[in-house]
Amino acid sequence: MGNGFLKRINNFYNELIVENRLKYDGVNFFVKNRKTGEWSIAKVLKGDVISAPTSRGTSCPLANVRFMFAHPGPYTIDMIIQLAFDGELHKFFGWIKGLWTEETRMLYFQLLKESGNPVNEHYVKDHHNPFYRSVCNAYSGKQKYRQFLLDVGEDPDEVSGMKNVAHFLAEGRHVESEIIKQLQKVSTPFIPNYRSPDNKAHPDLYNPLTNEAIDIKRHIGSNIKKEIDKYQQYFSGVTVLFLMGSHSVDVNKLGVRKVSIFKWIQEQDFFIKLDANLQKDLLNGLEHIAERVSVKLAEQDRNDFHKKLVEQIIELDKQGYNCPQIAEKVGFTYKYVHRILIGSSLSEYSGDYPEVYKANKLEDKQISEKIKQLTLMGVKVKEIAEQLEMSVDMVRHHLRNHELNEKFIISKRNERLVELFSFESSHRTLADKFNWIVEQLKNEYPHLTFGAVKNYYYSLKKEV
């Protein structure tokens, strides 16, 4: 049966690139006319496809075209999976239809093992999410990744480290215990692994001097429902520290402070009182814990990579760019950009902007429908722009999305006018007839005026 994606991309490559029917000058794509052999700029059509006829149809997805010029074929399954592993494939595609099979999952997992990076579920989910999602889609029930590991002959407990650190890794406690060990190197006011008198609250750290509870999380995206709902009943202050995530994030969420441990620790009196060497040693110790989770992610966090990415995407959206245009500028797929804007990815950095974005999209949709209706009623683009207080170009943009053309709509209206001009009636004057025509067309074209009918009538007379 073969791999669906591999077969599809090789067909495109052979028909368009090998047969010299498509070329790229770094700015535009050009398609060759089969009959004349002449080259012309290939049109980008609705749905992000390009007018490049193949045996599969009259167009080709733009993502495929960009991929083929960036990574020339012919392609093998090993080459495709290597590109997927390197993150290259997903710069061009979102979810790739037909790519993931039992064979490709096995090939990808072999690359994971050979890379020397962890292959536990947390790491794979964070850093190889398309592969991880394919595993989840292929298996049913609970512990899907564990089932996959068993199928490829791996010991899930050995892979996760359960045999060595048991409950720590099982509940994300390994990172917490390592951070507590770093803090115990110096004198702090905190009691580790505290339990409230009624045994219902168990923060990782407790400050008896201030009655403050502190919980440690592996990642900025970790759920803090427990701290919000329960801990605030017991403690005067509640703080959540996260290891992985932007070092500059510091927010208050329903009374709970959520802050990077790197920012938090440098505010503490016990840290400020340490000499420079001990301060450096403590920070390096925390960095080492982060790097053991992921060297790449730790470096990105130090540089605020994800936070800056979200801020850039939001700013570009505010400037009026759409998702595909933003994707071009930031180097990620438009689907990923869309997930960020609606708050399903990296929501820890977007604040309440996803709600603003959704509201704007709803308003855009309503405006777009209004433009469509006005155009179908015969209102000219310039008049619509004035009525809706927007630019003529923006009105035309919405019309293109609806595949409507102002000239076509007006020509259809004019055909109706000609029909009625030719209709033999008993009107004594042209003015009476023009008023009658306006009345006849008021349901189809409620904005049609006596003056428009008159002007068009005399324009026809001039042509004759």
Side-chain angles (χ1 to χ4, degrees):
M1 185 175 179
N3 185 276
F5 174 75
L6 180 66
K7 183 179 179 180
R8 190 165 64 250
I9 197 68
N10 271 324
N11 283 344
F12 284 139
Y13 187 76
N14 289 330
E15 293 184 25
L16 296 176
I17 311 300
V18 175
E19 294 182 14
N20 193 33
R21 289 174 49 213
L22 192 70
K23 64 183 181 180
Y24 180 53
D25 67 357
V27 178
N28 295 308
F29 296 101
F30 295 85
V31 64
K32 182 190 286 186
N33 186 293
R34 286 179 173 179
K35 294 181 179 179
T36 65
E38 295 180 353
W39 292 93
S40 60
I41 294 178
K43 297 178 181 178
V44 178
L45 309 174
K46 186 177 181 180
D48 218 18
V49 296
I50 193 168
S51 59
T54 70
S55 60
R56 296 177 62 87
T58 59
S59 61
C60 177
L62 189 56
N64 287 319
V65 173
R66 288 171 176 156
F67 171 74
M68 291 187 295
F69 280 106
H71 300 282
Y75 308 98
T76 65
I77 198 63
D78 288 329
M79 177 183 178
I80 292 296
I81 294 303
Q82 183 66 59
L83 288 169
F85 182 81
D86 294 338
E88 281 296 306
L89 203 61
H90 292 88
K91 288 182 179 178
F92 302 89
F93 305 97
W95 181 254
I96 307 171
K97 184 179 180 181
L99 173 65
W100 295 109
T101 64
E102 185 177 342
E103 177 193 14
T104 55
R105 278 189 290 274
M106 187 64 187
L107 289 171
Y108 197 101
F109 187 72
Q110 285 301 123
L111 291 176
L112 265 174
K113 290 180 67 177
E114 292 166 8
S115 71
N117 286 317
V119 293
N120 63 68
E121 185 167 5
H122 276 306
Y123 181 85
V124 172
K125 183 178 181 181
D126 284 349
H127 303 285
H128 298 272
N129 192 258
F131 164 71
Y132 178 78
R133 284 190 291 133
S134 81
V135 171
C136 292
N137 287 335
Y139 289 81
S140 59
K142 297 180 179 179
Q143 297 185 312
K144 297 177 181 181
Y145 189 71
R146 183 181 182 87
Q147 293 179 55
F148 168 76
L149 290 174
L150 289 170
D151 281 354
V152 297
E154 297 289 334
D155 182 338
D157 292 337
E158 187 172 316
V159 166
S160 67
M162 287 283 289
K163 288 184 176 179
N164 299 319
V165 290
H167 65 286
F168 285 121
L169 278 178
E171 301 179 70
R173 295 288 298 178
H174 182 62
V175 164
E176 298 162 17
S177 66
E178 289 297 307
I179 289 174
I180 289 172
K181 286 179 184 177
Q182 288 295 320
L183 294 176
Q184 288 176 333
K185 290 180 179 180
V186 298
S187 177
T188 73
F190 304 114
I191 300 172
N193 302 313
Y194 175 80
R195 290 178 178 270
S196 62
D198 62 4
N199 205 32
K200 291 184 178 180
H202 313 142
D204 299 318
L205 296 169
Y206 174 66
N207 187 339
L209 302 176
T210 59
N211 190 32
E212 179 187 10
I214 295 174
D215 256 5
I216 301 168
K217 303 291 184 181
R218 175 179 171 276
H219 190 268
I220 186 175
S222 298
N223 189 296
I224 63 169
K225 188 175 187 301
K226 173 184 65 177
E227 290 77 11
I228 292 171
D229 293 347
K230 182 185 290 186
Y231 281 17
Q232 292 190 92
Q233 302 174 30
Y234 291 87
F235 306 104
S236 302
V238 181
T239 300
V240 171
L241 307 178
F242 58 84
L243 176 69
M244 309 303 296
S246 167
H247 290 194
S248 64
V249 167
D250 184 354
V251 296
N252 186 295
K253 188 171 182 180
L254 299 177
V256 173
R257 185 188 185 195
K258 188 177 182 182
V259 59
S260 166
I261 191 168
F262 294 96
K263 178 178 176 61
W264 171 85
I265 199 168
Q266 294 180 72
E267 301 170 353
Q268 305 307 305
D269 287 339
F270 71 82
F271 181 86
I272 294 170
K273 292 174 182 177
L274 297 175
D275 65 50
N277 289 332
L278 281 175
Q279 288 181 346
K280 185 177 179 181
D281 180 62
L282 197 51
L283 290 173
N284 285 342
L286 294 175
E287 288 285 7
H288 181 64
I289 297 170
E291 288 174 355
R292 285 197 306 189
V293 174
S294 166
V295 172
K296 181 180 179 180
L297 193 57
E299 181 181 357
Q300 289 177 333
D301 290 342
R302 285 193 292 271
N303 295 319
D304 268 359
F305 174 80
H306 291 104
K307 182 171 180 284
K308 290 176 180 177
L309 172 65
V310 173
E311 289 171 348
Q312 182 185 8
I313 288 172
I314 289 174
E315 182 57 34
L316 288 169
D317 179 70
K318 289 179 179 178
Q319 292 174 20
Y321 292 96
N322 61 31
C323 286
Q325 291 169 330
I326 296 173
E328 283 284 329
K329 292 181 177 293
V330 301
F332 288 88
T333 67
Y334 76 90
K335 290 183 179 179
Y336 186 55
V337 169
H338 178 68
R339 289 200 303 271
I340 288 173
L341 287 170
I342 64 174
S344 62
S345 292
L346 301 181
S347 59
E348 52 270 19
Y349 302 117
S350 55
D352 61 0
Y353 193 76
E355 296 307 314
V356 175
Y357 176 78
K358 291 173 187 175
N360 289 342
K361 285 300 171 186
L362 178 61
E363 184 179 355
D364 281 349
K365 186 176 181 180
Q366 293 168 341
I367 289 173
S368 187
E369 285 298 320
K370 179 72 172 176
I371 290 171
K372 176 182 176 181
Q373 293 304 317
L374 290 172
T375 303
L376 291 174
M377 290 188 299
V379 184
K380 293 184 178 181
V381 165
K382 186 176 180 181
E383 294 172 13
I384 295 173
E386 291 173 354
Q387 182 178 331
L388 299 181
E389 297 182 344
M390 61 171 54
S391 70
V392 168
D393 286 342
M394 183 56 70
V395 173
R396 287 181 175 144
H397 165 75
H398 285 290
L399 290 177
R400 285 194 297 272
N401 286 343
H402 285 296
E403 297 182 341
L404 290 176
N405 182 290
E406 181 194 21
K407 290 182 179 179
F408 175 77
I409 299 297
I410 295 298
S411 70
K412 297 296 287 184
R413 186 204 69 177
N414 290 345
E415 287 176 8
R416 294 283 287 122
L417 290 177
V418 170
E419 288 176 12
L420 294 173
F421 289 152
S422 305
F423 183 79
E424 291 188 11
S425 64
S426 58
H427 296 102
R428 298 178 60 184
T429 66
L430 279 175
D432 289 340
K433 187 161 187 173
F434 293 159
N435 280 318
W436 172 76
I437 289 173
V438 171
E439 185 67 22
Q440 293 299 307
L441 296 180
K442 67 179 181 181
N443 290 329
E444 294 177 64
Y445 303 103
H447 289 265
L448 183 65
T449 63
F450 175 92
V453 175
K454 177 182 176 182
N455 289 339
Y456 186 63
Y457 177 83
Y458 284 108
S459 70
L460 292 176
K461 289 294 183 183
K462 286 181 181 179
E463 290 176 7
V464 174

